[in-house]
Amino acid sequence: MQKKSVYIAYTGGTIGMKPSKYGYVPQPGFMSSYLNGLPELQRAEIPHFIVHEYDQLMDSANMTPQHWQQIADDIKKHYHDYDAFIILHGTDTMAYTASALSFMLENLTKPVIVTGSQIPISGLRSDGLTNLLNALYLVAHYPIREVCLFFNNKLFRGNRSTKSHADGFDAFSSPNYPALVEAGINIAINYAALNVGARGEFKLHNITPQPIGIVMLYPGISPDVIRNILQQPVNALILLTFGIGNAPDNPEILDLLYSAYQKGIIVLNLTQCFAGKVNMESYATGNALEKVGVISGHDMTVEAALAKLHFLLSQDFSVDEVRAHLRQNLRGELTL
């Protein structure tokens, strides 16, 4: 059987960094030469690969929607030349990028895996080589046709992933959707959880930066906090609410949210809880939000919700169409 060909894009991040007197910093040229010299990557089980190092390597804390676009454009440019794509990325905003790519890349027929490491690949105890080896092995041998995130022996749907541990190897979780693959002694594939495949031609949707606010509610929050954000030029506001989507039934807050609805500002309700989903029908405090036009985010992660809003607001949709699409499961990002 002919070996598959994989395009590895190194965008920056810890995996390819080297120590300096100021801490870890990206080192241009290091990743390509290091990977090409590793005997583990020359084994028969590993597909052919090329490493494309971006001209400007980024600490992922500096990632913006323009960088999501750069990565998506890169994949589109090489889409028909390679069988799979691996994006090497910093961990801080990895789940945001994976979520954004899932919306931008419609009707994928090839795997796109975002991965990285907590310790640079050249480090003695690095998790980087294991993550990359597993990603390469999975794209070569298993039917993955969506944007995923691989970390610490688990493959997650990209738009279901979230960074849940700041300094552990088990840095990512998928709180509301099962792992697609668990790579233990054996490779355990959850075929039922995988994307069933494309429903049309592959398509790239562009994203442009959108002004979006995020407010975490807390006991005694002042309406001024919400008012001040809504006075800014925002197209959408994500409310991180209590439990299953509850908020204080403060008339002033509800009036502010209804005024936002009337102005065409999208207000999306997500739970502060690590797992679970919004249900605004269970309690009066949640129902009050629904009555003033707040939309349920169901069980989306914050990363997926932010990326989805960027995606929808970047398309030629009316406000009502954006609200309708937010309620729909577009790329496996939510459970209805």
Side-chain angles (χ1 to χ4, degrees), residues 13-297:
T14 298
I15 190 168
M17 289 186 177
K18 300 195 79 174
S20 76
K21 63 181 180 180
Y22 303 108
Y24 287 125
V25 294
Q27 182 70 42
F30 167 72
M31 178 58 77
S32 300
S33 60
Y34 189 82
L35 294 183
N36 287 324
L38 284 177
E40 296 95 327
L41 297 182
Q42 311 308 317
R43 293 176 60 102
E45 304 94 325
I46 299 298
H48 293 300
F49 66 88
I50 67 106
V51 180
H52 172 65
E53 186 176 285
Y54 284 11
D55 292 336
Q56 185 176 7
L57 297 176
M58 298 287 295
D59 185 304
S60 74
N62 292 321
M63 281 279 177
T64 68
Q66 288 99 328
H67 296 108
W68 301 341
Q69 187 68 51
Q70 179 186 3
I71 297 168
D73 287 339
D74 195 19
I75 292 171
K76 181 185 178 183
K77 179 180 178 181
H78 297 96
Y79 188 75
H80 298 292
D81 300 324
Y82 296 91
D83 300 303
F85 300 86
I86 294 175
I87 311 300
L88 300 180
H89 194 288
T91 60
D92 283 349
T93 61
M94 185 184 290
Y96 289 96
T97 296
S99 294
L101 291 176
S102 77
F103 294 109
M104 300 173 78
L105 305 173
E106 185 177 5
N107 293 323
L108 277 172
T109 58
K110 303 176 181 184
V112 175
I113 295 184
V114 187
T115 191
S117 69
Q118 293 283 65
I119 298 175
I121 198 167
S122 60
L124 178 63
R125 298 177 50 252
S126 175
D127 53 331
L129 182 56
T130 299
N131 288 338
L132 178 56
L133 278 170
N134 275 286
L136 281 165
Y137 187 80
L138 290 175
V139 299
H141 300 285
Y142 293 94
I144 300 162
R145 301 180 183 90
E146 57 181 298
V147 178
C148 303
L149 186 153
F150 187 89
F151 222 86
N152 196 38
N153 297 318
K154 291 182 181 178
L155 185 75
F156 301 118
R157 174 164 293 161
N159 58 34
R160 292 287 193 154
S161 61
T162 188
K163 190 170 184 184
S164 54
H165 200 305
D167 55 8
F169 286 138
D170 197 16
F172 289 87
S173 303
S174 178
N176 291 315
Y177 199 75
L180 306 180
V181 175
E182 295 200 27
I185 294 174
N186 298 307
I187 303 291
I189 307 290
N190 187 345
Y191 287 99
L194 288 172
N195 193 324
V196 295
R199 299 178 181 176
E201 292 293 319
F202 169 71
K203 184 185 300 183
L204 169 63
H205 297 279
N206 294 331
I207 276 183
T208 54
Q210 301 292 324
I212 297 171
I214 301 178
V215 174
M216 175 178 280
L217 301 184
Y218 54 85
I221 186 171
S222 168
D224 289 337
V225 173
I226 298 173
R227 178 182 291 107
N228 289 338
I229 290 181
L230 291 174
Q231 284 176 346
Q232 306 303 315
V234 294
N235 292 337
L237 173 67
I238 296 174
L239 284 181
L240 301 177
T241 57
F242 307 126
I244 59 172
N246 298 316
D249 55 2
N250 182 317
E252 194 172 353
I253 290 177
L254 293 174
D255 286 345
L256 285 168
L257 296 177
Y258 185 60
S259 176
Y261 170 80
Q262 290 179 311
K263 293 174 183 176
I265 299 172
I266 310 294
V267 182
L268 187 65
N269 185 354
L270 298 181
T271 176
Q272 295 178 16
C273 299
F274 181 68
K277 66 188 297 184
V278 167
N279 181 357
M280 292 190 290
E281 298 176 357
S282 293
Y283 292 90
T285 48
N287 191 249
L289 293 178
E290 191 170 33
K291 288 182 177 177
V292 295
V294 176
I295 298 168
S296 171

